[in-house]
Amino acid sequence: MSVLDAALLFAAGFLSGACNAVAGGGTFITFGAMSLVGVPPIVANATSSVTQFPGYITSTLAYWTDIEHFWRGALLLCLISAAGALAGALILLALSNPSFRVMVPWLLLAATALFAAGPWLKPAPKPGHEAAVGSLAGSLAQFLTAVYGGFFGAGMGVMMLATLGLTQAGDYHRLNALKNMLAVVIAAVAIIVFVSGGVVAWPQAIVMIPGGALGGYAGVWIAKRVPQNAVRGFVIAVGLFLAFYYFAKG
């Protein structure tokens, strides 16, 4: 890894943390930076999960006062999320890099479209004090979302918030807290599988993680000064660029 590569990865980590703090979509940036420096797509995907994990933790802690009221009722969803993430991560490891590379541009296009639709997918407030586990349909939706998250995490947060809004009780903030809690479970299980499978690029991860931490802190400053739509537009542009990059690269 050259000094230039390290600088690019650190900057990507910083931008990823800032985007996650303002509008989400940081995975597009870390995945893209690793692709540009020559990291194979499966390794880039797995390493992105590692670099995003600290942000999931801090986001969950920020909602801890809400989570205290419903965490016992959400344990079933946590178990379902763990099972789905395990399945998704194992499916990823079963693929070869060439096989996954063929899927990447389509996954990126789908994730970019999902991210672009995010503002319209936010759940409307629903009656009910707690974000309870809910119906069988809700459990199935969460399992499928977790499979996607374990396999390819870009856009997972938007997808999960949308499905939770359709299937769970609670206002937006409680649903967002539940989403963050489940994202920690999904990412943790996927990371364990990826580390066990030896597909994490640790030098690149070590460079990006502190950049992400600084970016997350700076994101608060950015959120007060830069329109959220501008940040969303940047992330969407990155997602489209990566999709066409992989289409062109074959």
Side-chain angles (χ1 to χ4, degrees):
M1 183 169 51
S2 67
V3 174
L4 183 61
D5 287 349
L8 174 63
L9 292 172
F10 181 87
F14 180 89
L15 287 174
S16 170
C19 286
N20 280 339
V22 179
T27 300
F28 291 106
I29 298 170
T30 54
F31 182 85
M34 283 184 283
S35 298
L36 293 177
V37 300
V39 177
I42 288 179
V43 178
N45 185 40
T47 307
S48 286
S49 297
V50 175
T51 61
Q52 302 299 311
F53 188 66
Y56 292 144
I57 293 287
T58 55
S59 297
T60 300
L61 291 176
Y63 273 111
W64 189 249
T65 53
D66 293 285
I67 291 172
E68 284 181 327
H69 293 97
F70 64 73
W71 70 269
R72 290 180 182 85
L75 287 179
L76 178 59
L77 279 183
C78 288
L79 293 174
I80 291 169
S81 298
L86 178 62
L90 290 175
I91 292 170
L92 178 67
L93 290 190
L95 297 175
S96 64
N97 272 297
S99 299
F100 185 61
R101 187 184 296 275
V102 172
M103 301 174 65
V104 163
W106 298 103
L107 288 168
L108 285 168
L109 281 179
T112 302
L114 186 67
F115 181 79
W120 294 274
L121 294 176
K122 286 184 178 180
K126 299 174 69 174
H129 179 65
E130 299 197 6
V133 170
S135 64
L136 177 61
S139 298
L140 178 60
Q142 182 57 31
F143 177 78
L144 295 175
T145 303
V147 171
Y148 172 81
F151 182 77
F152 190 72
M156 176 186 70
V158 175
M159 181 188 297
M160 187 158 32
L161 194 57
T163 56
L164 290 174
L166 293 172
T167 60
Q168 311 299 322
D171 63 19
Y172 172 76
H173 291 293
R174 286 183 177 274
L175 293 174
N176 201 34
L178 178 58
K179 180 263 293 182
N180 290 336
M181 178 182 176
L182 297 176
V184 169
V185 174
I186 293 168
V189 171
I191 288 170
I192 290 171
V193 174
F194 296 149
V195 171
S196 301
V199 293
V200 176
W202 287 111
Q204 287 82 356
I206 290 170
V207 170
M208 284 190 289
I209 287 172
L214 290 173
Y217 183 81
V220 177
W221 184 90
I222 294 171
K224 295 178 180 179
R225 293 164 175 82
V226 179
Q228 188 173 4
N229 286 339
V231 179
R232 294 188 66 84
F234 172 73
V235 173
I236 291 168
V238 169
L240 291 174
F241 168 79
L242 288 175
F244 287 111
Y245 169 81
Y246 272 102
F247 274 126
K249 195 173 180 180

